[in-house]
Amino acid sequence: MPGAVYQTELTPLSYLRRSAEVYPDKTAIVYGDRRYSYAEFAEAATQVARALRASGIAPGDRVAYLLPNLPEMLVAHFAVPLAGAVLVAINTRLSTDEVRYILDHSGAKLLVVDAVLAATVAPVADELAGVTEIVTVVDPAAPGSGDRIAGPDYDDFVARGTAGEPLPWAVDDELATISINYTSGTTGRPKGVMYTHRGANLNSLSEIVHSAHTPDSVYLWTLPMFHCNGWCTPWAVTAIGGTHICLREVRGDVIWRLIGEHGVTHLNGAPTVVTTIMNAPEAVTLDYQLVVTTAGAPPAPATILQMERMGFRIVHVYGLTETYGPYSVNQFQPAWAELDAEERATLQARQGVGMITAEWLRVVDENMADVAADGATMGEIVMRGNNVMKGYFDDAEGTERAFAGGWFHSGDLGVRYPDGYVELRDRAKDVVVSGGENISTVEVEQAIMSHPAVLEVAVIGVPDEKWGERPKAFVVLKSGALKSGELTSGGATAGEDELLEHVRAKIARYKAPKAIEFVEELPKTSTGKVQKFELREKEWAGEQHRIRG
């Protein structure tokens, strides 16, 4: 047959190969005094991939990383799939039990851990079901070395891959899993969300387009790479040939110093990052435009206006772990420039429309029919296409539920306007979105209920200036009375400080309540169900309820 067409499988691996060929001497990664050119970036990824294979990692095996935003974490986004393996990037804020669950559930065979975070793994290092080796990364810029775990350090590990044949920057199956990202466990145990090479490749293109990246982009890593693979930005910025500025922790003074030193043009993050930047003593008005792509909660109109006055341009996106991070974007319309500033900012705070490689964002009723585009009729946000996960790892039942009717169900409720733009209005579940992280009220309640003095508890999200919202617990004790600021129950003390410490020992500290209020009883229906909306109405009186964005 004449005109036969030969196609290659889509993968973000091709992005580093291309940039290493097109921009071999250009600076790709900066961290403190460390610099990597694109040629060196590709060579580092190749060496780590060879080291993984030399360590017994076979195609399809899972490799876990528990690292902050270091160059080693950026390299892993290419090295692990280059070895044919699957990257499992773990939230650095999780507790020991949570990390152990993810390692066991994913079946990870090798773990790379930051020395400072090694203390999280050390208590269970000898109990991990499938991990055969733990590699430790020592960051000279870190405040402390942490607890060392038996196993090689990173340099010795990488040395295993210094020699070998070139590896192909290609895959045989674009629908193969490239990474597994675990949800925050908002309905119990976290789920492992599987991304494909094809989805990562295409979502990266959307990030380039909607965040307006160019080869001159200087991207500051304020968004954790463990969160939805950094919204696919490790692959996106590399694809366009921009420069990555790595950042160990988000601090206002450090962010402004790096902006000044490197002329940062882009950064991503939750509204809390935006707040940190704006309120830092070092904040100045920029003489150029810095693009801030934000999600986690819709930016308040006042925040958008303040950022613009400081020289920032807000790109508002919306998505979930199951959608590779951002799925929709508030696409700016030229006509909005003629509107009153407050009206324009209000329009920009909506969640918008599907990104360029995504399908249309739908709002549907219980029968999967689209609701009226009147800005008032609420329905559930559903999505499908290249920007939606392959499924939940080792959870066929959960995957089937999530895709009921052929579309992924977000669990978020929203409305559609006549212009086609979607705005979130509420949640189907009682998830607290704090600093861009989802916190399960059930998980927090269970941690509190494990205290012997607690009879009942209800947890809701309440306003928080820094984090948008934080959990607050309403607690009924088994017995006891308030005495000198401390409640007692059968000889067991249950003051606020003690309960908070109890919770922090059970779950990640960021999930712990902002406050605990002791009450005589909780509002309930006649059937005994706690009416959380009554608690919310009191706490949110006079506040515009913040919803996930």
Side-chain angles (χ1 to χ4, degrees), residues 430 458-462 472 474 517 519 521-526 529-541:
D430 296 319
V459 174
I460 64 169
V462 299
K472 178 178 179 178
F474 295 84
E517 181 175 336
V519 296
E521 61 181 4
L522 298 172
K524 298 177 183 177
T525 67
S526 59
K529 183 178 180 180
V530 176
Q531 294 181 303
K532 289 188 177 183
F533 74 90
E534 291 191 16
L535 300 174
R536 289 195 195 94
E537 286 179 353
K538 183 184 71 171
E539 295 295 328
W540 288 91

Side-chain angles (χ1 to χ4, degrees), residues 538-549:
K538 183 184 71 171
E539 295 295 328
W540 288 91
E543 292 272 351
Q544 180 183 357
H545 191 77
R546 298 172 176 86
I547 52 179
R548 186 169 6 153

Side-chain angles (χ1 to χ4, degrees), residues 89-351:
I90 302 176
N91 187 333
T92 58
R93 299 166 70 184
L94 296 181
S95 67
T96 297
D97 284 346
E98 290 166 323
V99 170
R100 173 168 57 183
Y101 173 79
I102 290 173
L103 290 171
D104 288 347
H105 184 267
S106 67
K109 289 190 175 181
L110 186 143
L111 169 66
V112 179
V113 62
D114 178 64
V116 176
L117 298 172
T120 302
V121 179
V124 296
D126 297 329
E127 305 170 13
L128 299 173
V131 175
T132 58
E133 189 169 46
I134 298 176
V135 177
T136 302
V137 174
V138 178
D139 176 15
S145 60
D147 296 333
R148 295 302 300 269
I149 300 175
D153 65 25
Y154 188 76
D155 290 340
D156 289 340
F157 163 71
V158 173
R160 300 172 186 171
T162 53
E165 295 297 318
L167 298 174
W169 299 92
V171 293
D172 295 329
D173 180 10
E174 63 183 19
L175 298 182
T177 304
I178 190 173
S179 64
I180 300 175
N181 290 281
Y182 278 80
T183 65
S184 299
T186 55
T187 55
R189 285 294 194 180
K191 295 180 173 64
V193 176
M194 294 184 289
Y195 291 177
T196 67
H197 283 259
R198 176 184 177 84
N201 177 287
L202 292 173
N203 189 273
S204 299
L205 295 180
S206 280
E207 301 297 332
I208 293 170
V209 171
H210 295 295
S211 290
H213 282 293
T214 74
D216 295 324
S217 288
V218 179
Y219 179 79
L220 179 61
W221 270 105
T222 49
L223 178 74
M225 292 188 210
F226 65 69
H227 182 51
C228 310
N229 293 122
W231 299 350
C232 295
T233 314
W235 300 308
V237 172
T238 299
I240 202 67
T243 299
H244 300 267
I245 309 297
C246 289
L247 180 67
R248 185 177 181 90
E249 59 180 332
V250 174
R251 286 175 36 194
D253 58 336
V254 176
I255 289 172
W256 280 104
R257 175 175 59 79
L258 293 174
I259 288 174
E261 287 181 5
H262 301 289
V264 172
T265 62
H266 293 75
L267 59 86
N268 295 353
T272 52
V273 173
V274 176
T275 301
T276 297
I277 295 170
M278 287 193 305
N279 296 331
E282 298 80 7
V284 298
T285 298
L286 298 172
D287 58 4
Y288 67 95
Q289 190 176 78
L290 195 160
V291 177
V292 178
T293 303
T294 187
T303 300
I304 293 175
L305 295 175
Q306 184 179 351
M307 292 294 286
E308 288 180 349
R309 287 192 292 268
M310 295 175 65
F312 296 88
R313 179 167 75 86
I314 296 290
V315 176
H316 178 205
V317 296
Y318 160 73
L320 305 93
T321 303
E322 288 89 343
T323 61
Y324 294 72
Y327 181 94
S328 72
V329 60
N330 185 283
Q331 192 72 51
F332 189 85
Q333 297 290 335
W336 295 354
E338 306 301 321
L339 299 176
D340 170 83
E342 292 290 342
E343 184 180 0
R344 172 176 53 77
T346 298
L347 291 174
Q348 288 180 265
R350 297 181 298 172
Q351 282 62 44

